[in-house]
Structure formats: structure tokens, C-alpha cells
Amino acid sequence: MGMSRDSDNRAGSLSRQGSTASSPDGSEPKAANRSKANIRVSLACVQCRSKHVKCDATLPACNRCQQEDKPCFYAKSRRGIRDPKKRSLISDKPPITSSSSFLPTSNFSSSSPSVHSLHDLPSGWSVNSIPSTTVSPKNEKELLLDLFYSYFHPSYPCLPPKRFFYNHIEADPDSYHFLLSVINFCGSLYTNQIPSDDLREAAYSAACGSLPFTVQSVQGLLILSIAAFGEMKFEHHAGWANRAVSIAVELGMNHKAFADGTSDSVLAESYRRTWWCLTFQDSTRNLCDVGSTLSIADVDSDVDLPCEEWEYESGIIPQPISQSQYETQVNLGHTDFSSMAYLIDICKIQTDLVLPYNEVPDSKKPELFERADARICDWLRRVPKWKMNLVDPDGVVDVVLYHGIAIAHVNRLRLRQSAPRSGLNIREYFPLGPAKGPDRKGQVVKGFGWNSHPIDIQAANGYCDLFRHPFPTKTLRAVFATGTLRVALAYLDACVFLGLDSPVFRERINRLVQILTAHGETWALSRKIAEDIRVVAKEYLTPRISQSWRPGVSESEAWAAVSSSLLNEPPNLAPNFGFEPYQQVYQVGGWTMNETWPANLTDIYQA
């Protein structure tokens, strides 16, 4: 099947960024008549080269790597080594004598990471923190893999459950070199005990080199591209995502037969999930417009839908349903589908209807707008109420469905926010103001528990309601900040441009900044967006209030309780996240106001 060796086809040409390549035929033009064995080569292992330190070139492992207990390997030379004995010792893979070099000797529990203490995040959520004890090299790999499965895997559950993953590594460790290097790097992002720089360099170097055409290579490239997005390395992200898609298509992972071809039901489920995780990431990066991309939406696919997470963790995989079966059952009113199936559905709506919206001619926008918004609302209506609770009686959070619901609300916002404001740099485009689209008016929604206010705010409120559930910010996707930016933009527009400024909206902006700041402890993108929102809020939410606001009290004192927490105070939230429902609102000049707000709030931004 061509799975054993990387080639120079379109997958390789798209993805070997930053790698050192020889001429197409592997020859050296200036030394064509000279013996390669006669060329003198100075050896240095990859570890020493990456740190720019002197290497003694001892084979098979240099003294520095032996002293630091790190894998020592040498990049293959294009010019050759004179001594045939030395040539036989050089390896472009970390040396492995047994699976124990990558795996700890102790047994593992799929539900018990090697982290114990708890602390509260700004939102009142509890996250696992790493004990301050020194991590020995023997336990380092165990810790990194535990961290990966505890925090990264829940949002991108494409790898086999941890206990099954260990079994596969022990059975065939050589196939997992690259994937394990990526897992170690991603795990290191969630702790301060283990530096990420060397692990990042090892994973990046491997991703830019020759990789076998295997599912493990696809998974490693996918995970590394997601991490690169979160670290704002967008060129790396696009290159590795493209390469992952290319190899996956070359392998035939876009066809049902690929997963069906393995007798291991857990591996088959992993293959299906890997393909769908590729589609999730492809849809997100196209919306954010970061780097040139190969659209996976143009690839024909008949891959079956994944099962529920608890079925996957148990290893008892039910008979999967096909995409056509899902559509038929939806039309019949059935709602008993897995969370991954619902996530796939909302991502398809995003790709097919939301993504093209800003590209179609203005004459076609109203029709596409109505179709997209109706499909999203129908999706939200179809998700069973018991699933919408997100937390089961045992306290286990459905992170997969959380992301699906978040995507639904964010896409309702995207349809209502103008195309020039679709990027990530809110400082640059915020002054442009909100769109004058087909839904730029207040809308009264009749029914118990509903309030009348702009659809933008309804969608933003729905997104914020998700944070009532107590789960760690660290488990949220690396691309989580892109959707949260849309929500913060809706509240900022309401305060600055739409005459809806209120302490409630300002407090919600504050909370979103706090969540992004907590998430930014791991991902640079969230940290950057949190700072951008804070700067925009500080610049544009400067109050202009008359002295009649509170007789005898200055403007700065009157607004201190509202704005100080956003601009100066450290996070201090109650355990139940403070996104409270809005009180009844009424119409003011085509827009909506809350009955409890001071009347002169309408004049805050009047000239």
C-alpha cells in the first residue's frame, strides 16, 4: 500500500518546511566525480545541534546526551561517512532497545493522571496542578503522557484510550517514535516542571523530515498542527495540517473500507476519529484564514460516525452508523446519536453554509443567511436535553459536545459580524463597527423564559452559559480563543456602537478575559487575544456619564465598581460562574434596554 516509506509526492512537497533536502536525484553537483566516502564530515547529534553546543560525536550516543539521559540520534548525512562502522551506528531515530525507553515500568490507569493537588481558576473551576517535587527521568515520560491524556486528548480524542495505546506501543514501539515525540511535547505544555523547548525542537524536526505513510504519522502531524495553532505558529500549522490531510487521503482514510480493514475495533474507531478530527481542524483554520490550506471538504468521504466517549473508553465499540443512516434518522426525528456525531454535523453546517457566507454576492447573502441560521437553530433544538446538561451524574463532563454547542453559538455570531472583522486582530478591526446585515435589529422571541434582545446577544449568552459547568480550562481546545473572541466582540459592539452599554455586559467581557487569561497559561493565542480584548475595552469603554448619575459622586467613583475589575483587579469569582440570566428587557429606539439599568445609560456614548 506504500505505507512504509515517505515519498516526494504532493504530501512530502507540501510539508517538508524547514527541512534540509538534497538535489532531486540525491547527488551533489559539485562533487559528482568524487567519492562520497572521501568527504570529511563533522558529526553532531540532533540534540546538540538544536542547542548549539559542542558534541563529541560519540557513537551510538554522545556523552552529553548520555549524561542528560536524553535520546541521542544523528540526522542522516547527504555526503556520507568514510568509516563504514560509523555509518552503521548512525541512526535518524532515537535509539530504542525496548519499549521501556519510551514507557515507564509501572502499570497505568487510564483515569488517574500523575497530578494530585487542586487550585481554583478565575472562573471557579478546579484544575489539576503538578506537585513541586522533582520529576525523575524515569517518571518524566509517564507524566507527559498522563498530562496529554488528561488535558489535550479530551478535546481531540483521536488516539486510542490510554490503556489501549500503551498496549500498541509495547507491541510495536518502532511505529510510534514520531507520535510519541509529539505527545511528549504537548504534555510538557501543561506543566512547568519539564521544559518544552527541547521537546518542541525534537517534534518539529521530526515533522519536517521523512515520515512513514502510517496512521501514526497522520495523528502526530494533526496533533502537532493543532499545538502550532495554539502557539501562533501559523505557517507550521498550515504545513503540517496539509501534510496530514495528504497522507490520510493517500492511505485511503477518507473511505469506510480503511477502518473496516482492521480486526481491532478500537483501532478502527481511532482511525474514524482521526479522519473526523482532521475535518474539525480544517474547518476551523479555514474560518480563521491562517496560512494556505488544502480543503478537506473537497475530498469524497464515506467514513462512518464515531461512537460515544464512554463506549470508546470501555473498548466495547458498537456497530457504527453511516453518514447516510444519520441523515435518514434525523429526518425521522431520531436524536439518539453520539456527541461526536453531533459535533461532526455542526462542523458540516459551518463548512457548507457559514464559511461561504462572506464570499457570496450580496444578492445571495439573505438566502444563505436564513438557511445557515435555520440549520444552526435546528441543530440546537435536536440535541437531547439530557445531553445539553454536559455533566453526567458522576460529574464527567462531555467536552466533545461542549465544543459542538460552542461552535453553534459562535457561528450565529459569525453570520452577524462583518467580513472585515473576521480575523484575529481585534485591535485593528474593532473601530470598523458592526455589520449592517439582514439581522441588525432587535427581535422578540415569545415563549417562557425567553427575553427580547438582539440575536447577537442571545448567541453570546448561550456561549457564556456553557461556563456554568465546572471543568478545567486546560481541557478546552487550543483554538478555543477564536470563538471566545467572537463573543467578546458581540458584547463590545453592544456597549460601544449599539447603545446597550451596561454593567452586565462589561462584567461578561471581564469574565471572558479572565477565562482566556487562564487558558493562556498553556496557549499563546489565548494569552494574546485576552490582552487584545483588554486593550480594546480600556480604550473604548471609557464612560461619559453626567453628574446626575449619582449626586455628589464623581464619574470615576460612579464607574469604579463596573470598570475596575476589567482593567485592574485580579480575578476573584465565585465557584458558580457568574454568568447570570438577563432580566426582562424592553425596546428603546429599535434596540433593547433592561428595566433595572439607569435611564441615562442611553446617553453614555452620545456626542
Side-chain angles (χ1 to χ4, degrees):
M1 293 179 62
M3 296 173 59
S4 61
R5 183 180 302 173
D6 202 350
S7 61
D8 292 327
N9 58 14
R10 61 191 180 94
S13 61
L14 281 166
S15 54
R16 295 187 184 182
Q17 299 181 356
S19 60
T20 304
S22 59
S23 58
D25 60 357
S27 62
E28 295 291 333
K30 294 183 179 180
N33 298 323
R34 297 170 58 187
S35 169
K36 291 183 179 181
N38 291 328
I39 300 175
R40 183 178 178 182
V41 178
S42 298
L43 284 177
C45 73
V46 172
Q47 294 279 11
C48 293
R49 283 180 185 272
S50 65
K51 292 186 286 187
H52 304 286
V53 296
K54 186 176 181 180
C55 180
D56 60 16
T58 301
L59 297 173
C62 73
N63 288 330
R64 185 184 297 273
C65 288
Q66 291 183 48
Q67 292 173 3
E68 297 179 0
D69 195 24
K70 292 186 176 180
C72 184
F73 54 104
Y74 296 79
K76 285 186 176 179
S77 172
R78 292 174 293 155
R79 295 176 290 175
I81 304 298
R82 181 180 182 87
D83 190 342
K85 292 183 178 180
K86 286 188 176 182
R87 287 201 301 266
S88 66
L89 290 172
I90 292 177
S91 171
D92 61 347
K93 294 180 180 179
I96 283 288
T97 57
S98 69
S99 60
S100 61
S101 298
F102 277 103
L103 299 176
T105 56
S106 59
N107 294 326
F108 297 92
S109 168
S110 61
S111 60
S112 301
S114 299
V115 287
H116 305 290
S117 60
L118 299 174
H119 69 274
D120 291 332
L121 286 178
S123 60
W125 301 338
S126 294
V127 299
N128 290 327
S129 63
I130 311 302
S132 58
T133 56
T134 303
V135 180
S136 67
K138 180 179 179 180
N139 296 327
E140 181 178 301
K141 296 299 188 292
E142 176 183 357
L143 175 60
L144 291 173
L145 212 136
D146 279 344
L147 289 168
F148 174 86
Y149 268 92
S150 296
Y151 297 124
F152 193 99
H153 180 76
S155 290
Y156 304 95
C158 60
L159 299 186
K162 188 163 62 173
R163 61 192 177 97
F164 296 100
F165 187 65
Y166 284 129
N167 293 337
H168 291 300
I169 297 176
E170 291 174 351
D172 185 17
D174 291 339
S175 298
Y176 289 84
H177 285 294
F178 169 58
L179 179 55
L180 282 168
S181 71
V182 173
I183 289 173
N184 289 338
F185 160 57
C186 290
S188 71
L189 297 175
Y190 297 96
T191 177
N192 295 324
Q193 286 184 283
I194 303 172
S196 298
D197 293 343
D198 290 347
L199 296 171
R200 180 186 292 106
E201 179 67 25
Y204 277 31
S205 297
C208 290
S210 177
L211 292 175
F213 267 42
T214 62
V215 175
Q216 290 77 21
S217 293
V218 174
Q219 292 170 333
L221 289 166
L222 168 63
I223 294 168
L224 194 60
S225 72
I226 293 168
F229 191 105
E231 293 197 307
M232 300 181 66
K233 300 179 185 298
F234 296 126
E235 291 186 1
H236 292 80
H237 159 77
W240 291 328
N242 286 341
R243 190 179 187 187
V245 171
S246 297
I247 296 178
V249 172
E250 187 73 20
L251 291 174
M253 293 182 68
N254 54 313
H255 297 300
K256 167 185 170 67
F258 183 85
D260 291 348
T262 177
S263 59
D264 188 321
S265 62
V266 174
L267 274 184
E269 177 71 7
S270 174
Y271 296 166
R272 288 189 286 268
R273 286 165 173 260
T274 299
W275 175 257
W276 289 119
C277 283
L278 283 170
T279 66
F280 302 155
Q281 191 63 14
D282 178 77
S283 180
T284 300
R285 65 193 177 118
N286 281 325
L287 275 175
C288 297
D289 192 24
V290 289
S292 59
T293 62
L294 293 174
S295 179
I296 203 171
D298 299 329
V299 178
D300 292 332
S301 170
D302 60 351
V303 178
D304 289 337
L305 302 180
C307 63
E308 289 284 17
E309 299 310 299
W310 60 81
E311 294 170 327
Y312 192 35
E313 289 293 329
S314 71
I316 304 174
I317 311 298
Q319 181 68 29
I321 67 170
S322 67
Q323 299 177 50
S324 60
Q325 288 174 324
Y326 173 85
E327 294 172 0
T328 300
Q329 293 182 31
V330 166
N331 292 333
L332 293 175
H334 297 173
T335 59
D336 188 19
F337 305 110
S338 70
S339 296
M340 282 283 281
Y342 278 111
L343 179 58
I344 290 165
D345 195 5
I346 192 62
C347 282
K348 283 185 175 181
I349 296 172
Q350 175 176 273
T351 300
D352 297 342
L353 298 176
V354 178
L355 185 59
Y357 175 71
N358 287 323
E359 306 298 329
V360 300
D362 290 342
S363 60
K364 295 184 178 181
K365 282 185 182 294
E367 178 185 356
L368 186 58
F369 178 94
E370 294 297 334
R371 284 181 58 204
D373 200 51
R375 287 282 301 278
I376 295 170
C377 290
D378 179 65
W379 184 92
L380 287 167
R381 177 190 59 80
R382 288 192 288 105
V383 178
K385 191 171 183 179
W386 67 270
K387 270 186 169 292
M388 280 288 196
N389 291 331
L390 292 180
V391 182
D392 68 15
D394 296 328
V396 178
V397 179
D398 190 342
V399 178
V400 171
L401 188 61
Y402 160 83
H403 288 298
I405 298 172
I407 288 171
H409 292 306
V410 167
N411 278 325
R412 297 197 78 197
L413 289 172
R414 288 186 186 277
L415 290 170
R416 292 165 171 81
Q417 293 172 350
S418 61
R421 303 169 100 205
S422 60
L424 299 177
N425 192 350
I426 188 174
R427 295 196 205 186
E428 180 179 300
Y429 59 64
F430 182 75
L432 299 177
K436 298 179 180 179
D439 196 63
R440 185 50 56 208
K441 62 182 183 299
Q443 176 175 327
V444 177
V445 183
K446 296 181 179 180
F448 178 79
W450 286 84
N451 294 324
S452 54
H453 45 68
I455 301 296
D456 312 56
I457 301 303
Q458 288 187 25
N461 292 347
Y463 184 93
C464 291
D465 284 344
L466 295 172
F467 295 108
R468 294 175 179 275
H469 305 287
F471 57 92
T473 52
K474 287 187 176 182
T475 61
L476 299 177
R477 291 185 171 192
V479 299
F480 153 79
T482 61
T484 308
L485 174 62
R486 301 291 107 203
V487 178
L489 181 60
Y491 287 128
L492 286 166
D493 281 345
C495 291
V496 176
F497 296 107
L498 306 180
L500 296 175
D501 197 355
S502 78
V504 177
F505 289 169
R506 290 182 176 233
E507 179 62 17
R508 293 204 167 195
I509 296 169
N510 179 35
R511 301 298 173 92
L512 292 172
V513 169
Q514 292 172 347
I515 295 168
L516 285 168
T517 301
H519 196 247
E521 293 177 4
T522 304
W523 302 109
L525 179 60
S526 294
R527 190 162 58 249
K528 173 69 163 56
I529 289 178
E531 179 59 27
D532 287 348
I533 295 173
R534 188 180 288 109
V535 169
V536 169
K538 187 172 184 178
E539 180 176 356
Y540 289 92
L541 292 184
T542 302
R544 299 197 298 270
I545 309 173
S546 66
Q547 292 295 327
S548 61
W549 173 272
R550 187 181 298 174
V553 179
S554 67
E555 293 183 9
S556 58
E557 291 174 328
W559 277 91
V562 175
S563 58
S564 64
S565 62
L566 174 63
L567 306 180
N568 304 310
E569 293 180 0
N572 182 21
L573 304 183
N576 54 338
F577 198 81
F579 282 143
E580 297 301 329
Y582 284 105
Q583 301 182 31
Q584 184 60 40
V585 292
Y586 59 92
Q587 299 291 331
V588 176
W591 289 92
T592 55
M593 289 294 295
N594 190 296
E595 291 177 337
T596 61
W597 300 341
N600 62 344
L601 258 175
T602 56
D603 300 326
I604 289 177
Y605 294 105
Q606 298 296 324

